[in-house]
Amino acid sequence: MPALIVGNWKMNGLGEDIAEIAAMAGSGARGVWIAPPFTLIDRAVIVSAGAVKIGGQDCHANAKGAHTGCVSAAMLADLGAGFVIVGHSERRRDNGETDADVRAKAQAGQAAGLEVILCIGETRAQRDAGQTNAVLTSQLSGSLPDDAEALIIAYEPVWAIGTGLIPTLDDVAAAHAHIRQHLTAHFGPAGHGVRILYGGSVTPANAGELLGVADVGGVLVGGASLTAASLLAIAATAP
Ligand code: PEP
């Protein structure tokens, strides 16, 4: 399957930045998805005209209700979003989200008809202590939704996000193999169909080698996704 290049704009982007998404959409590049802040989703859906899939960076686990400031998966779908990211390490860190919370959000996203990108990854201390596989197993056990359909896993070592550091290619391959093993044990044959992305300091300079690693089905990109030039340069490295 062709690689998926997903941009996570985090808390970046004003109206003028919609031009970047328009440029991505107009480029003819395929397999490019962007998660702008909630405030830009409707405009992004319009300018992307279906050429770039637009998604949310988070959703609430409930479809509606008394949750001031929150956005439900159904609301994202209503805007024309096609996917949602759940469990990003910045939300786990800043908002205390647990694996159970992430699982509930993943279920809500799928129920609303969205594709769900579920993020997992170890901290530097956990890697140094040799706990990477145990952490990934624990996060998957606690957060996988019931259904493997419309599910994507993003392996994002926390220490690689926004730092300019990336694991060795062997370490990326080992983590993806471990995740795949868990997915097939958990879902059976359907686990083979779940795409696994790598995320953490992906740039145009390193994307080609990362996308060449076994079972890396694409990349989740933060900082280098903010301009069309940078994200399209990453997309151009896809095999
Ligand atoms: C991310 O936010 O998911 C991410 C991978 O960020 P960056 O590419 O900036 O490390």
Side-chain angles (χ1 to χ4, degrees):
M1 58 188 156
L4 199 56
I5 313 297
V6 184
N8 170 19
W9 277 18
K10 312 192 188 195
M11 198 172 71
N12 296 293
L14 297 173
E16 65 199 20
D17 299 304
I18 279 294
E20 299 297 332
I21 295 178
M24 292 172 198
S27 72
R30 302 180 62 176
V32 172
W33 296 8
I34 295 290
F38 289 135
T39 49
L40 292 181
I41 288 178
D42 55 352
R43 281 173 277 180
V45 166
I46 291 166
V47 299
S48 66
V52 168
K53 188 175 285 195
I54 303 300
Q57 300 171 13
D58 178 50
C59 66
H60 197 277
N62 294 347
K64 60 180 180 175
H67 303 288
T68 302
C70 297
V71 172
S72 73
M75 291 169 176
L76 294 175
D78 185 50
L79 284 177
F83 74 99
V84 63
I85 298 170
V86 298
H88 193 283
S89 63
E90 289 160 8
R91 291 207 58 86
R92 294 176 188 257
R93 179 195 68 202
D94 295 348
N95 302 80
E97 291 185 9
T98 64
D99 288 331
D101 295 329
V102 174
R103 175 178 147 77
K105 289 173 182 229
Q107 297 263 115
Q110 289 177 328
L114 302 175
E115 296 197 58
V116 170
I117 300 178
L118 193 165
C119 303
I120 57 173
E122 82 285 358
T123 63
R124 182 79 244 179
Q126 289 165 333
R127 173 163 284 276
D128 290 346
Q131 296 170 344
T132 297
N133 283 353
V135 169
L136 298 179
T137 296
S138 163
Q139 290 180 331
L140 288 168
S141 300
S143 61
L144 283 179
D146 293 338
D147 202 339
E149 277 293 309
L151 176 65
I152 296 168
I153 303 298
Y155 169 56
E156 296 208 299
V158 177
W159 54 272
I161 296 178
T163 60
L165 303 172
I166 61 169
T168 67
L169 299 184
D170 284 348
D171 284 344
V172 172
H176 281 233
H178 182 76
I179 293 166
R180 178 67 63 203
Q181 197 177 26
H182 188 100
L183 291 172
T184 53
H186 184 90
F187 290 120
H192 289 289
V194 177
R195 189 190 289 266
I196 307 172
L197 309 178
Y198 167 79
S201 293
V202 176
T203 66
N206 63 25
E209 58 184 9
L210 287 163
L211 287 166
V213 173
D215 216 355
V216 171
V219 285
L220 179 53
V221 187
S225 73
L226 293 173
T227 66
S230 174
L231 195 69
L232 292 174
I234 289 172
T237 70

